[in-house]
Amino acid sequence: MNKQTDISWVYGLTADPIHRGHEQVIKNTLEKAEELGLETSSFILVPTYRPNLIADKSAPIASFEQRFDMCQLVAKDLSRELKTDITVSDIEKTISRDEPSYTYNTLDALSKNHDNLILIISSDHAHGHAPKFRQWHRWQDLINRFGLMVHERPGHPINDCFIEHLKEHNPYVYVTKNQPAIDISSSRLRQVYAYGAEASEKHINPAVDSYIKNFELYQ
């Protein structure tokens, strides 16, 4: 990877459901890329097929196909709003078999058709004395081959020493701080739907809200 090449951003997410917080991460990434002088070649949303549950996560409730569909609804709207081609990939369903969907394997598969991959993660995985990123499958190989964009979340300050350690292996490691954030989570939205309440448009795309109601998800 060199400074003049276009970047393929990869945003892996469970998307159970995808919400405005995820959308804000996409917007923040593109703004940061412009600030850094990085040209965007593609922006790929990757719904997780078989999550490796190491970050206090639970197994998804919606099926992979439903989560994929919800991502597509958001990608369509954001592509138009941000004037950027945002796509959704089912690569993890294609490559996963009996083992969890490991991010290294996902990026390796995507690299066959996309150059200069930079993975987007939240600071959940890069804070504290023992960052969870170090629990990832082949995390050292991942950082040696692919770039990283870490978005700071409230309550999860980035371990700057860990970031500097990663940058020693790969200069294409970036962080975003003090950018807009939307205080919502998929788990909170699932509770809203479980109680039969109305989800706010400021928290979820109306098309996704309609999809969830149509398929009676999370009830």
Side-chain angles (χ1 to χ4, degrees):
M1 189 185 299
N2 64 70
K3 195 71 173 179
Q4 304 305 314
T5 54
D6 293 347
I7 302 299
S8 295
W9 301 100
V10 180
Y11 187 15
L13 65 172
T14 308
D16 191 31
I18 187 170
H19 52 68
R20 295 294 196 193
H22 295 122
E23 294 182 38
Q24 190 63 53
V25 168
I26 296 170
K27 294 176 181 179
N28 289 348
T29 298
L30 292 174
E31 288 181 8
K32 186 66 174 180
E34 184 175 355
E35 176 187 322
L36 293 168
L38 298 172
E39 295 291 333
T40 295
S41 172
S42 58
F43 201 113
I44 310 164
L45 301 183
V46 182
T48 303
Y49 181 65
R50 196 187 301 272
N52 184 26
L53 305 174
I54 64 170
D56 303 320
K57 299 285 187 179
S58 57
I61 295 174
S63 69
F64 174 79
E65 287 73 21
Q66 290 168 332
R67 293 181 288 114
F68 183 90
D69 288 347
M70 288 188 281
C71 284
Q72 284 197 308
L73 292 171
V74 168
K76 178 181 178 182
D77 282 354
L78 283 185
S79 293
R80 181 170 54 248
E81 177 186 346
L82 303 177
K83 297 179 174 56
T84 301
D85 187 22
I86 300 172
T87 61
V88 187
S89 172
D90 65 353
I91 188 70
E92 291 202 348
K93 181 179 180 180
T94 302
I95 65 174
S96 294
R97 293 180 176 83
D98 296 327
E99 65 179 8
S101 302
Y102 293 122
T103 302
Y104 177 84
N105 296 344
T106 300
L107 294 173
D108 180 59
L110 287 172
S111 70
K112 294 174 172 57
N113 295 305
H114 300 274
D115 296 323
N116 308 312
L117 298 175
I118 296 184
L119 176 69
I120 300 163
I121 68 171
S122 76
S123 59
D124 301 43
H125 301 275
H127 85 289
H129 296 297
K132 291 177 180 177
F133 185 71
R134 295 194 302 182
Q135 299 177 36
W136 287 30
H137 176 71
R138 299 184 65 178
W139 71 272
Q140 291 169 310
D141 292 331
L142 189 157
I143 202 63
N144 284 329
R145 282 190 62 187
F146 308 107
L148 199 66
M149 172 76 81
V150 184
H151 287 267
E152 188 164 64
R153 288 184 58 187
H156 297 85
I158 293 173
N159 181 332
D160 293 321
C161 290
F162 180 60
I163 295 299
E164 290 306 312
H165 170 68
L166 296 180
K167 286 183 176 181
E168 291 175 2
H169 296 272
N170 189 335
Y172 291 90
V173 174
Y174 306 102
V175 299
T176 66
K177 297 183 179 182
N178 304 314
Q179 287 191 298
I182 297 176
D183 184 19
I184 190 59
S185 67
S186 295
S187 59
R188 280 170 52 193
L189 279 170
R190 292 196 299 270
Q191 290 178 346
V192 169
Y193 290 108
Y195 288 124
E198 286 295 320
S200 170
E201 186 174 335
K202 71 179 182 180
H203 289 152
I204 194 163
N205 183 301
V208 176
D209 178 64
S210 296
Y211 184 95
I212 290 170
K213 292 174 179 175
N214 184 51
F215 285 91
E216 299 181 344
L217 295 175
Y218 312 124
Q219 295 182 12

